[in-house]
Amino acid sequence: MRHSIIPVFIPHQGCPHRCVFCDQRTITGVDRPPGGAEVAALIGERLAEPRRAATWEIAFYGGSFTCLPAAWQEELLAPAKAALDRGQINAIRLSTRPDAIDRETLARLAAFGVSTVELGAQSLDDRVLAAAARGHTAGHTAAAVAAIKDAGLKCGLQLMPGLPGEDWISLIATTKQVLALAPDFIRIYPAVVLAGTELAAMAAAGAYRPLTLGAAVARAAYLKNRCENNGIPAIRVGLQASEELSGGAVLAGPYHPAFGAMTEAYLFRIMVAGLLEKIGRPPGEMLIRHHPRDASVVRGISNANLLYWEKTYRLAGCRLAADWPRRGEIAVFHRNLTYILNKAMLFST
Ligand code: SF4
């Protein structure tokens, strides 16, 4: 039995802004706003599916939910609350902007049974937020996280490495602030250039250069690893693959359907590379024992990690054995020595 999400997309509705990267219609694949009756029908359809879930959660994504007029928020939430009260679903979550959270709003959300609020924080660098025309500051995000926690709700932060003006120094500072805010979870969506956005115009004019796939993977991996090592799970890394995103809506930038797996593979790549740097560049063979469920990310997409280690460090060969008991950890056997490495050892700052 599994946890199932019933997603309700609210494209651009309620949002008074137009961030440079945003085309909610493309990201969500929806351009018509729903009403309460549609939400009720959607819940009914999903609950009637023969494949049962252990737990159900309704999620209002896209747009900025709490920027909608209060009556519209209540219309959308009412069928979700009714299903919650009947015991048909287990939770309600929604996403919104950091500057669209106040006490009155949180009281409304709590009254309608909302248990999780996700904030589109994107960055905690005011310079980057201004360049992305977000219309809010890092201070708004900090205040919103505190208010959501005070209201007894769970809080998630959505972060977007690679926005205009962001560099490693900015990302590291953002990461430190995220750790200090201690959200319940994060999602990482690297910035990509979507057709019809201001970012597309900036890229065409040479005023913005998106991250390469490799650079985006490195930044996302850092952010994810630092958060997870501090007890903040990254519940999503990379945009959800969709026909629109794969079919030409992404003009440039680090979109890849396997971005999350690439990020995880990168962490294993640098774990072993760091060890090989320390012990020199000896020829010979190496054996890596890993957990069976880490097999693909230890190996890397199309064996990219194996090839990288062999070529860069002139190893005669690298064998893998899927028999290590702990996920996220590997045992490297090299020249009669054993090294235990895990993701908690990476990125102390
Ligand atoms: S606040 Fe959200 S919905 Fe509004 S323009 Fe920005 S990213 Fe898009």
Side-chain angles (χ1 to χ4, degrees), residues 17 19 97-100 120-126 129-130 133-141:
H17 296 275
C19 306
R97 290 173 54 86
D99 57 352
Q122 320 308 355
S123 168
L124 290 165
D125 180 337
D126 284 343
L129 293 171
R134 283 290 295 169
H136 70 80
T137 64
H140 286 107
T141 302

Side-chain angles (χ1 to χ4, degrees), residues 10-308:
I10 322 249
H12 251 303
Q13 297 305 311
C15 181
H17 296 275
R18 192 71 194 254
C19 306
V20 294
F21 55 83
C22 176
D23 178 359
Q24 277 295 334
R25 197 196 65 75
T26 298
I27 289 177
T28 61
V30 171
D31 55 12
R32 196 170 55 82
E38 282 167 288
V39 174
L42 182 63
I43 294 170
E45 273 168 33
R46 290 296 309 275
L47 293 178
E49 284 175 3
R51 202 165 153 231
R52 294 295 303 162
T55 52
W56 288 96
E57 184 168 26
I58 296 177
F60 294 93
Y61 287 139
S64 297
F65 191 93
T66 58
C67 291
L68 291 171
W72 196 350
Q73 292 181 42
E74 292 177 5
E75 180 189 329
L76 292 170
L77 287 171
K81 173 74 160 65
L84 191 66
D85 290 343
R86 288 193 295 269
Q88 293 173 300
I89 65 161
N90 307 82
I92 304 170
R93 70 198 297 145
L94 55 83
S95 59
T96 194
R97 290 173 54 86
D99 57 352
I101 288 292
D102 57 30
R103 273 171 194 258
E104 193 187 333
T105 301
L106 286 168
R108 179 187 312 114
L109 301 186
F112 277 87
V114 173
S115 46
T116 305
V117 176
E118 295 191 31
L119 298 171
Q122 320 308 355
S123 168
L124 290 165
D125 180 337
D126 284 343
R127 218 171 30 90
V128 171
L129 293 171
R134 283 290 295 169
H136 70 80
T137 64
H140 286 107
T141 302
V145 172
I148 291 166
K149 286 182 172 184
D150 279 354
L153 306 185
K154 279 192 193 156
C155 181
L157 292 183
Q158 299 172 359
L159 297 156
M160 188 171 282
L163 283 172
E166 185 201 78
D167 54 17
W168 269 103
I169 292 172
S170 165
L171 181 72
I172 290 168
T174 284
T175 305
K176 279 187 184 153
Q177 290 181 73
V178 171
L179 300 184
L181 293 177
D184 293 286
F185 61 89
I186 60 164
R187 293 182 196 259
I188 303 172
Y189 299 118
V192 296
V193 180
L194 295 177
T197 62
E198 178 61 22
L199 210 51
M202 290 164 69
Y208 171 67
R209 208 165 50 181
L211 293 179
T212 61
L213 185 58
V217 164
R219 288 196 197 184
Y222 170 79
L223 182 52
K224 170 185 158 76
N225 189 253
R226 289 280 284 136
C227 284
E228 290 188 340
N229 287 347
N230 285 276
I232 303 169
I235 65 169
R236 173 92 212 165
V237 181
L239 287 165
Q240 191 86 42
S242 72
E243 277 180 25
E244 276 179 296
L245 289 177
S246 301
V250 178
L251 300 182
Y255 171 69
H256 194 291
F259 189 89
M262 293 171 98
T263 305
E264 197 62 16
Y266 175 84
L267 292 170
F268 282 101
R269 176 186 291 198
I270 61 171
M271 216 187 282
V272 174
L275 172 68
L276 291 171
E277 291 286 343
K278 279 200 187 99
I279 61 180
R281 300 186 173 200
E285 284 222 336
M286 185 170 78
L287 166 67
I288 299 179
R289 296 175 63 193
H290 59 81
H291 189 277
R293 289 174 65 192
D294 284 337
S296 61
V297 287
V298 170
R299 188 176 282 280
I301 306 249
S302 306
N303 289 333
N305 283 356
L306 291 177
L307 295 171
Y308 176 83

